[in-house]
Amino acid sequence: MEHTRVARLKDIVDFKKEIDNAGRILQSGGLVAFPTETVYGLGANGFDARACHAIYEAKGRPSDNPLILHVADRSMVDAVAADVPLMAEQLMAAFCPGPLTLILPRGSRVPDAVTGGLDTVGIRMPDHDIARAMIRSAGCPVAAPSANLSGRPSPTTAEAVLQDMDGRIPLILDGGPCSYGVESTIVDCTGSKAAILRPGAITREMLEELLGDVELDPALAGESSIPRAPGMKYRHYAPKAPLTLLEGPTGLMAQGMQEELKKRANRRVGVIASEEVAAYLQAFLPAERIVSYGKQGDLQSIAANLYESLRAFDDMPMDSLLAEGTQETGLGLAIMNRLHKASGFRSIVLSDKLRKG
Ligand code: AMP
Ligand code: MG
């Protein structure tokens, strides 16, 4: 078993030493976990098919689920894309570096191990000093999915990476908690109209302001079961105990949770909820059974805390978990997408229940 070292980049000297070291590991075909503004990534040299295969092995990831190529600057995009359509240029000018992945026609140097054999490639320029310095030091695009075991919630701290990757990779660069906390928005730029394949912090509303009408992959709206981002078809983001999502108006959540808890009176149930609902439930549940992800409606905080909340009960013997949903507009679309998948689409819709009587 490989020894995994967590490198804390405390000062400028550490920074330079550890970035150089990470660059060397990547150049020689090794894996490095690194922070970005979205979640931690598990990186390999994106031109080295063997190194990319090692990512699939470390994560236990299905081989048809492609990786995203991370670049340090605009010039690297031309090294991995065969063509950059106008809408992609507009998106890059507006949002890159940032939490946005563009699907573009695949360049000839990109191996099948990155794209899962597709004729397109996902490209992202992270808005994070450590990530971009590491890519520059490696001198190549860095292929990376999230640094979790396949199916688990994505890691937003170095500790969460270590939980999943200990003994599987040589190095984790610790950059502290990620600021956004959900993965990048994936936008397919290869058709006549931009299409969102995975919602993220660059919201549909932001994209439409720039480009006009933007499509949502029908699989995200539940209208088709075959998503165009292969990764979205897998059960993902799942905590160890089975999770049920409560959906509906915020005003019904506290009472809705209380009713669901009553039905599960003899079971060990954990709750992931807003501060407001958590405060209300204190009278009915011991404190260690409640995790709060932020204030109702504060979507930025909820996104940033989401995956840590989903991991919070993993060390406790829980029978089941209940999670409070959010609105589905703006950043809420990304949050609810992850919660639906984390729950395996097991939802209780509170407004429906009330209407039924
Ligand atoms: P992760 O960030 O760990 O969720 O993994 C990367 C995500 O990007 C997965 O959901 C992939 O399916 C998606 N992805 C990467 N490349 C492509 C591509 N060429 N076309 C569509 N989706 C892609
Ligand atoms: Mg992932």
Side-chain angles (χ1 to χ4, degrees):
M1 191 156 128
E2 198 162 6
H3 172 68
T4 302
R5 191 168 68 85
V6 180
R8 289 177 226 287
L9 281 53
K10 292 183 297 292
D11 54 35
I12 189 95
V13 179
D14 280 350
F15 188 95
K16 193 176 171 331
K17 189 183 81 194
E18 295 298 351
I19 292 295
D20 287 350
N21 180 35
R24 271 193 303 273
I25 293 175
L26 291 167
Q27 281 162 13
S28 61
L31 305 184
V32 177
F34 62 99
T36 78
E37 78 279 32
T38 59
V39 303
Y40 275 72
L42 180 59
N45 178 346
F47 287 146
D48 180 342
R50 266 178 66 178
C52 293
H53 282 301
I55 292 178
Y56 290 89
E57 207 162 294
K59 283 183 59 100
R61 182 176 176 101
S63 62
D64 67 342
N65 186 4
L67 312 174
I68 291 169
L69 281 183
H70 291 69
V71 298
D73 51 46
R74 174 66 186 80
S75 70
M76 261 191 175
V77 175
D78 294 320
V80 290
D83 174 38
V84 181
L86 177 63
M87 81 172 90
E89 292 289 3
Q90 288 175 289
L91 288 169
M92 282 193 280
F95 302 117
C96 296
L100 180 68
T101 295
L102 304 176
I103 303 299
L104 298 177
R106 166 190 182 172
S108 58
R109 286 186 71 189
V110 180
D112 279 341
V114 168
T115 67
L118 297 173
D119 56 6
T120 55
V121 60
I123 301 172
R124 173 164 126 74
M125 199 187 299
D127 186 12
H128 198 290
D129 289 345
I130 295 175
R132 285 213 309 281
M134 184 196 78
I135 298 165
R136 286 207 186 89
S137 165
C140 58
V142 171
S146 50
N148 49 283
L149 289 175
S150 191
R152 301 263 300 137
S154 302
T156 54
T157 62
E159 292 74 24
V161 177
L162 190 64
Q163 271 172 19
D164 281 16
M165 289 297 148
D166 197 9
R168 294 170 181 258
I169 59 173
L171 180 65
I172 301 169
L173 298 177
D174 184 352
C178 301
S179 49
Y180 288 100
V182 289
E183 300 82 352
S184 59
T185 307
I186 302 182
V187 177
D188 185 352
C189 301
T190 62
S192 56
K193 213 189 253 182
I196 299 174
L197 308 190
R198 176 174 74 184
I202 305 296
T203 62
R204 180 182 199 172
E205 293 82 350
M206 290 159 75
L207 295 168
E208 290 195 327
E209 201 174 305
L210 183 76
L211 299 176
D213 195 23
V214 170
E215 261 180 49
L216 252 196
D217 182 3
L220 293 173
E223 288 156 20
S224 148
S225 55
I226 311 163
R228 280 152 63 186
M232 300 302 279
K233 74 171 178 261
Y234 295 104
R235 178 151 186 261
H236 207 330
Y237 320 116
K240 289 186 179 157
L243 176 79
T244 300
L245 175 62
L246 263 67
E247 298 184 65
T250 48
L252 297 178
M253 282 293 167
Q255 209 197 328
M257 279 284 181
Q258 193 188 352
E259 278 169 25
E260 293 307 318
L261 285 170
K262 267 190 214 150
K263 288 185 206 159
R264 297 164 174 77
N266 298 318
R267 317 290 293 159
R268 280 165 302 190
V269 182
V271 172
I272 299 164
S274 64
E275 281 177 22
E276 290 86 343
V277 170
Y280 177 82
L281 293 179
Q282 265 171 14
F284 315 101
L285 264 189
E288 66 273 15
R289 299 270 199 87
I290 314 174
V291 166
S292 160
Y293 58 33
K295 284 200 160 57
Q296 272 182 345
D298 180 357
L299 299 176
Q300 246 114 32
S301 300
I302 296 172
N305 296 324
L306 186 66
Y307 290 135
E308 281 295 292
S309 305
L310 288 172
R311 284 174 177 263
F313 293 104
D314 281 350
D315 294 333
M316 297 162 72
M318 288 294 164
D319 294 314
S320 60
L321 304 178
L322 295 168
E324 174 182 348
T326 67
Q327 68 194 62
E328 284 196 84
T329 51
L331 185 53
L333 185 66
I335 294 169
M336 287 298 276
N337 167 261
R338 306 313 191 269
L339 282 171
H340 277 300
K341 294 177 75 68
S343 64
F345 296 90
R346 223 185 347 256
S347 281
I348 294 168
V349 182
L350 295 175
S351 54
D352 278 358
K353 273 182 39 173
L354 287 190
R355 243 180 269 131
K356 275 187 215 138

